[in-house]
Amino acid sequence: MMSSPLTTHVLDATRGRPAVGLKVELYRREESDGRFQLLTTGSTNSDGRFPNLIARSEFVPSVYKLFFDTDGYFDSCNIRGFYPYVEIVFQVKDPNVHHHVPLLLSPYSYSTYRGS
């Protein structure tokens, strides 16, 4: 099985563990009209990861968006959060290079970076 050229990992900084069961959606911006087209949807696994986000053949130079349903996740943990969702928009110029986009999450803040 080939690994996805794009990966994400969500860590719940408040609880000190992976964010399990967090809904994630991946979009790609269409060049023709600039709108984002939904490519895949799913939830993070027991390690806070979403394997197989996109097939290598579909991973092309473009602008992508990862949507994280943080409201649903925090509700499931009986935690009141401030951000109902997080969207991370990023540009892929070389699809032959692996892209890792992690999310460090807490009820009142979040951060991300270009991982490896």
Side-chain angles (χ1 to χ4, degrees), residues 3-9 24-27 39-42 49-56 58-59 65-66 68 90 99-101:
S3 63
S4 177
L6 172 64
T7 55
T8 189
H9 188 200
V24 179
E25 297 173 352
L26 175 65
Y27 296 82
L39 299 176
T40 190
T41 185
R49 299 177 189 274
F50 185 164
N52 305 315
L53 267 172
I54 188 169
R56 186 160 301 283
E58 295 178 31
F59 196 54
K65 175 173 63 174
L66 279 167
F68 300 89
F90 56 97
H99 290 70
H100 183 61
V101 184

Side-chain angles (χ1 to χ4, degrees), residues 2-102:
M2 292 184 84
S3 63
S4 177
L6 172 64
T7 55
T8 189
H9 188 200
V10 185
L11 298 173
D12 182 336
T14 303
R15 301 171 75 203
R17 60 182 118 176
V20 177
L22 191 149
K23 182 180 174 188
V24 179
E25 297 173 352
L26 175 65
Y27 296 82
R28 180 172 48 228
R29 190 173 69 189
E30 297 297 323
E31 289 187 33
S32 60
D33 61 9
R35 293 183 184 189
F36 282 93
Q37 179 72 32
L38 179 63
L39 299 176
T40 190
T41 185
S43 297
T44 55
N45 64 17
S46 62
D47 193 35
R49 299 177 189 274
F50 185 164
N52 305 315
L53 267 172
I54 188 169
R56 186 160 301 283
S57 61
E58 295 178 31
F59 196 54
V60 298
S62 189
V63 174
Y64 291 83
K65 175 173 63 174
L66 279 167
F67 170 92
F68 300 89
D69 178 15
T70 54
D71 197 40
Y73 170 73
F74 284 127
D75 280 351
S76 73
C77 299
N78 294 317
I79 296 173
R80 181 184 295 176
F82 181 70
Y83 299 100
Y85 60 89
V86 172
E87 291 183 327
I88 302 172
V89 179
F90 56 97
Q91 186 170 17
V92 172
K93 294 190 178 197
D94 184 356
N96 297 311
V97 175
H98 181 261
H99 290 70
H100 183 61
V101 184

